[in-house]
Amino acid sequence: EAGVAQSPRYKIIEKRQSVAFWCNPISGHATLYWYQQILGQGPKLLIQFQNNGVVDDSQLPKDRFSAERLKGVDSTLKIQPAKLEDSAVYLCASSLGWVNTEAFFGQGTRLTVV
Amino acid sequence: GESVGLHLPTLSVQEGDNSIINCAYSNSASDYFIWYKQESGKGPQFIIDIRSNMDKRQGQRVTVLLNKTVKHLSLQIAATQPGDSAVYFCAENMKAAGNKLTFGGGTRVLVKP
């Protein structure tokens, strides 16, 4: 079974630039999560989708971050404009949803803002 | 708001010894508690979970204990191996919140040969 795919693997941008991350969850997984993991900390939930609807985006900085999952499968997370403090690993995870709670994570995208 | 809390210590353990990692949580409404292992450069990997109506669950070389009275969760790793070196996170899942998955801060385990 293929895992959660994320791209790019690494990204370096200057502050005030924009960046987008892509996630392809495991086939059939209804729930998709985006997490931000700052070095030395646990992952922080940014946004959670159930199919193509948003379940929770309470910790998403909506003035600069946006995410979509238009067809209930792939998802993109965008930052515009980026700040130095956005440097982190952005993790995507998916789970079957209501039946099974086990979430599977991708390898993440390491973003460095300079 | 309520969150899973986990201090960020580093646990050094001799190969072959048992490891115990602890976690305190504050949200009594959580349905599941999960332990994840994260190796350098990788995403978290599911180890074991436990329902809120259980107090113990065993897996292969791992045991999770849940004490709801004091809101405490622990992960025991038997006969720790070099491959167990990683950062371990506890997380809580709330079905009522759409399976919202909230992580604590992590513990680094270093296995000494």
Side-chain angles (χ1 to χ4, degrees):
Chain A
E1 178 182 78
V4 176
Q6 289 188 248
S7 67
R9 195 74 175 86
Y10 304 94
K11 190 73 176 179
I12 301 174
I13 62 172
E14 294 182 348
K15 59 183 179 184
R16 292 188 289 275
Q17 285 188 323
S18 61
V19 64
F21 312 127
W22 174 81
C23 173
N24 184 7
I26 293 173
S27 178
H29 280 196
T31 304
L32 186 146
Y33 309 86
W34 280 104
Y35 286 87
Q36 179 193 60
Q37 187 174 25
I38 293 172
L39 186 64
Q41 298 181 17
K44 182 184 93 171
L45 180 67
L46 293 176
I47 189 167
Q48 178 184 343
F49 292 95
Q50 180 72 16
N51 296 309
N52 61 349
V54 175
V55 174
D56 188 304
D57 63 357
S58 57
Q59 297 191 89
L60 186 74
K62 298 179 185 65
D63 58 334
R64 299 185 301 106
F65 286 64
S66 65
E68 59 183 13
R69 193 184 185 199
L70 291 175
K71 296 183 179 180
V73 181
D74 293 4
S75 177
T76 55
L77 176 69
K78 297 179 181 178
I79 307 175
Q80 181 180 11
K83 293 185 176 182
L84 296 176
E85 58 262 36
D86 298 332
S87 294
V89 174
Y90 290 84
L91 294 162
C92 179
S94 70
S95 71
L96 281 170
W98 302 109
V99 176
N100 189 313
T101 61
E102 182 176 346
F104 296 83
F105 283 80
Q107 286 193 300
T109 296
R110 181 176 295 278
L111 174 67
T112 303
V113 183
V114 298
Chain B
E2 295 182 293
S3 64
V4 174
L6 179 63
H7 298 295
L8 189 60
T10 296
L11 177 66
S12 292
V13 60
Q14 201 70 36
E15 181 179 355
D17 287 352
N18 297 336
S19 303
I20 300 176
I21 307 165
N22 297 302
C23 173
Y25 67 93
S26 59
N27 193 339
S28 57
S30 294
D31 304 279
Y32 282 84
F33 300 88
I34 310 105
W35 282 99
Y36 282 89
K37 172 186 179 183
Q38 187 173 27
E39 296 174 287
S40 181
K42 297 183 179 180
Q45 180 184 13
F46 175 95
I47 301 173
I48 190 169
D49 65 2
I50 186 168
R51 293 176 184 261
S52 60
N53 62 355
M54 301 170 65
D55 53 21
K56 181 179 180 179
R57 189 171 186 210
Q58 289 185 291
Q60 187 176 14
R61 286 201 305 117
V62 294
T63 300
V64 56
L65 299 178
L66 175 63
N67 186 331
K68 292 182 289 293
T69 302
V70 295
K71 296 181 181 176
H72 183 267
L73 188 70
S74 69
L75 177 70
Q76 301 177 4
I77 305 174
T80 311
Q81 302 170 358
D84 295 328
S85 292
V87 178
Y88 290 80
F89 295 97
C90 65
E92 58 181 330
N93 180 294
M94 287 185 61
K95 279 197 167 183
N99 284 328
K100 182 175 181 177
L101 189 61
T102 305
F103 282 79
T107 295
R108 182 175 300 280
V109 173
L110 295 176
V111 182
K112 297 177 290 185

